[in-house]
Amino acid sequence: AMVSRRFGATLALANLVYAQDGEGDDREGEIRLIGMHDLGSGLHLGLDNRVRQSLGSSDPHRYQHSNPALEFNAGPLLAYTMGRWSLMTEAGISGQKVDRLRTGMLVLGGAGASF
């Protein structure tokens, strides 16, 4: 499910996800919160946050596959649109917990288009 709200030049988005594998023994939930502000001339500045959490598992082999019980990332992002093309970059923190919590720097970049 996704909900969004615009406040003038600012856009707030919330995305909620429930996932379950085909066997039905692993369940996960995810929430993503994004805030974007239109700076004009195709430039957008925002904040992107995502947390994915295991909601339970009856799979006795889950940890043998190194499936994380928790994943998260958060950081500022910058996007630029030119017609139907977009460029974006994001930097921040990322973390994952399998047996213990490990964190590190997150750096993303991307390009996309709508046709």
Side-chain angles (χ1 to χ4, degrees), residues 34-49 74-82 85-92 106-112:
I34 301 170
M36 294 286 293
H37 185 76
D38 184 358
L39 299 173
S41 300
L43 195 58
H44 309 276
L45 182 63
L47 187 60
D48 183 13
N49 305 284
L77 66 91
L78 184 65
Y80 180 67
T81 57
M82 305 163 291
W85 294 91
S86 292
L87 302 172
M88 68 79 60
T89 186
E90 179 177 349
L106 168 73
V107 178
L108 298 171

Side-chain angles (χ1 to χ4, degrees), residues 24-86:
D25 58 358
D26 294 309
R27 293 164 304 286
E28 296 179 343
E30 179 177 307
I31 184 167
R32 182 173 216 141
L33 302 171
I34 301 170
M36 294 286 293
H37 185 76
D38 184 358
L39 299 173
S41 300
L43 195 58
H44 309 276
L45 182 63
L47 187 60
D48 183 13
N49 305 284
R50 180 185 70 87
V51 176
R52 188 178 83 177
Q53 172 77 43
S54 171
L55 299 176
S57 176
S58 59
D59 183 354
H61 306 291
R62 178 175 174 85
Y63 292 103
Q64 291 176 352
H65 302 297
S66 298
N67 292 337
L70 171 71
E71 286 183 305
F72 68 89
N73 64 320
L77 66 91
L78 184 65
Y80 180 67
T81 57
M82 305 163 291
R84 63 183 187 193
W85 294 91
S86 292

